[in-house]
Amino acid sequence: MVATVHPLATDRALDALRHGGNAVDAIVTAGLVLSVVDSHNSGIGGGCFLLIRRANGEIVAIDGRETAPAKATRDMFLRDGKAVAELSQTGALAVGVPGEIAAFHEAVTKYGKLPWRAHCLAAEQLAERGFPINAKFGSRLAGVAKDLEQFPASRAVFLQPDGLPWRTGQILRQPDLAKTFRVLAEQGSD
């Protein structure tokens, strides 16, 4: 059994089970696919925690949360001695070093049955071909369109040529994300 917030992630996770994978394979596939179809909630640019209960009863915890960049400073969100909240919420200073991919890779290589490549390519195919935007994703894009406009790469993916966000039912293709998954499939999490 597999349950996720998006049917495409659930379907790909079930495919992993059908192809001889175990629960770890299913959850990693689901997580990578959610990076494509539910990226406002889950994504390879973020972090995660994994709890795995092995057949022998052993519990394994994998911490894949983001960490602060090596050059982060305690004053990086201050301007003229005053905190500027927006700097910690939007833009380059607002991100941490992602941990999700490293956590997923560790889980698959230590506890999964399918090769890492298979997981990455399940997500790559959806990013390349595209998927119909559901109401939740469409609403979220509309809600953050002003933020997305600020950044050329985000604008190119999530906003149409006329500057409006993609709407429910339209097909969202993410070729750069697909390329990222192909590189991850070939080179691993590093």
Side-chain angles (χ1 to χ4, degrees), residues 8-187:
L8 291 172
T10 302
D11 288 346
R12 295 313 186 280
L14 287 169
D15 286 345
L17 293 174
R18 287 185 195 105
H19 289 97
N22 60 19
V24 171
D25 295 301
I27 194 61
V28 168
T29 297
L32 293 175
V33 170
L34 287 171
S35 297
V36 177
V37 301
D38 193 54
S39 58
H40 55 285
N41 284 325
S42 176
I44 62 174
C48 68
F49 296 108
L50 296 173
L51 287 176
I52 301 167
R53 184 181 186 280
R54 301 187 65 208
N56 65 6
E58 174 190 10
I59 304 293
V60 176
I62 300 175
D63 180 354
R65 287 303 296 175
E66 306 89 343
T67 58
K71 296 211 176 201
T73 67
R74 63 180 227 173
D75 297 335
M76 64 193 272
F77 303 120
L78 300 179
R79 296 298 178 266
D80 298 321
K82 295 186 184 199
V84 179
E86 294 80 24
L87 293 174
S88 68
Q89 298 167 355
T90 303
L93 294 179
V95 299
V97 176
E100 183 174 280
I101 289 296
F104 284 171
H105 188 264
E106 180 177 343
V108 165
T109 55
K110 287 186 178 177
Y111 307 106
K113 292 183 176 182
L114 299 177
W116 170 247
R117 176 180 176 77
H119 303 286
C120 293
L121 294 180
E124 180 269 341
Q125 291 166 356
L126 277 173
E128 188 70 44
R129 284 194 325 256
F131 66 95
I133 294 174
N134 65 20
K136 183 186 267 186
F137 199 119
S139 174
R140 184 67 179 145
L141 283 178
V144 297
K146 295 288 183 210
D147 291 332
L148 296 170
E149 276 179 358
Q150 297 177 52
F151 308 101
S154 298
R155 186 173 50 242
V157 174
F158 296 112
L159 301 180
Q160 299 177 70
D162 62 7
L164 294 174
W166 295 102
R167 295 181 310 278
T168 302
Q170 291 183 302
I171 303 298
L172 177 61
R173 290 177 181 85
Q174 302 173 75
D176 287 340
L177 182 57
K179 180 180 177 183
T180 298
F181 280 117
R182 286 190 294 275
V183 171
L184 287 169
E186 295 301 321
Q187 298 180 17

